[in-house]
Amino acid sequence: MLWIVVTSPSFFTGEASFLHRLIACGVDYIHLRKPGTTADDCSILLDQMPEEDYRHIIIHNFFELATKYGLHGIHLNARRSDIPTNYHGHISRSCHSLEEVEKYKPVCDYVFLSPIFDSISKQGYSSAFNDITLKNAAASGIIDKKVIALGGVTPDKIEYLKSLHFGGAAMLGCVNNLAHLPENEQTDMLIRIKKEMTDKIE
């Protein structure tokens, strides 16, 4: 099961080191999403990271940075939905309905489906899917290894997502909230989350 982290929407002191720590502790991909900023702002953050981390980074909005830095891929959404000319790398996309999943999954490496649970980072952004809907989608094959759960995902929900055959879990609030903790506490928590991601379902 893929473990994906979406960055905090705003920059913070020590972020490059924090993102590097995420990768070192087993995060598969980091989605660099900074709405309301510029490509230059994101470049400053990337310049502070080791080059070997770039293969774990997927960029939102500023697709030119994917080629410039050799990033893993690009992420599409309703505002930026066109694949750049001559781009042939990894593509992911945001989906907010099962119909969108069925439409875009065949042309993406994976898609986000959200919000699965009530959001941690966005007040009032509530789950859009009930248990029966998700179980039916899993049974019919709409939810599979190419669908990543996003929205309110915390470690205690991983086993449930595995039972629905999601291919991964994307975390924003619960992981970025660790950034203010001492490094050793961050690492301990991240290792525990990675274990949840990799343990076989009972």
Side-chain angles (χ1 to χ4, degrees):
M1 190 178 205
L2 289 176
W3 182 17
I4 296 168
V5 170
V6 182
T7 62
S8 167
S10 56
F11 297 99
F12 58 88
T13 302
E15 185 170 12
S17 296
F18 179 68
L19 298 182
H20 175 70
R21 192 170 302 113
L22 297 183
I23 295 167
C25 289
V27 170
D28 294 292
Y29 300 117
I30 293 173
H31 279 242
L32 181 51
R33 176 184 174 273
K34 299 290 185 181
T37 65
T38 67
D40 287 343
D41 293 331
C42 291
S43 289
I44 290 171
L45 176 62
L46 289 167
D47 287 339
Q48 297 174 54
M49 298 180 68
E51 288 187 15
E52 59 265 27
D53 288 351
Y54 295 162
R55 60 191 174 91
H56 296 276
I57 305 293
I58 293 166
I59 189 74
H60 290 224
N61 299 321
F62 309 115
F63 296 161
E64 64 272 20
L65 298 183
T67 300
K68 178 180 178 181
Y69 287 91
L71 304 181
H72 184 74
I74 63 173
H75 184 83
L76 307 177
N77 54 38
R79 293 179 301 279
R80 188 78 193 269
S81 60
D82 294 327
I83 301 169
T85 303
N86 297 323
Y87 178 79
H88 302 291
H90 173 101
I91 297 169
S92 58
R93 185 182 180 108
S94 295
C95 295
H96 302 289
S97 69
L98 296 174
E99 291 75 20
E100 285 186 319
V101 168
E102 290 185 284
K103 179 178 179 179
Y104 295 115
K105 188 171 63 170
V107 295
C108 293
D109 291 276
Y110 61 69
V111 297
F112 285 168
L113 178 61
S114 70
I116 300 300
F117 309 108
D118 294 349
S119 175
I120 296 169
S121 60
K122 298 179 181 178
Q123 281 196 332
Y125 194 48
S126 302
S127 169
F129 309 94
N130 61 38
D131 180 61
I132 293 174
T133 299
L134 292 174
K135 286 179 177 176
N136 287 340
S140 65
I142 297 172
I143 294 175
D144 61 15
K145 65 181 181 180
K146 291 184 69 174
V147 183
I148 309 298
L150 172 66
V153 177
T154 52
D156 59 297
K157 297 182 173 75
I158 297 302
E159 189 167 352
Y160 173 70
L161 296 177
K162 288 178 180 177
S163 75
L164 293 171
H165 312 301
F166 277 99
M171 301 178 180
L172 197 168
C174 83
V175 169
N176 284 289
N177 286 345
L178 301 176
H180 70 282
L181 297 175
E183 290 184 16
N184 63 319
E185 293 184 31
Q186 291 178 22
T187 300
D188 289 346
M189 181 59 72
L190 292 170
I191 290 171
R192 287 200 291 270
I193 296 174
K194 183 63 176 180
K195 187 175 186 301
E196 291 284 347
M197 300 294 295
T198 54
D199 278 353
K200 299 291 185 182
I201 189 170
E202 297 295 335

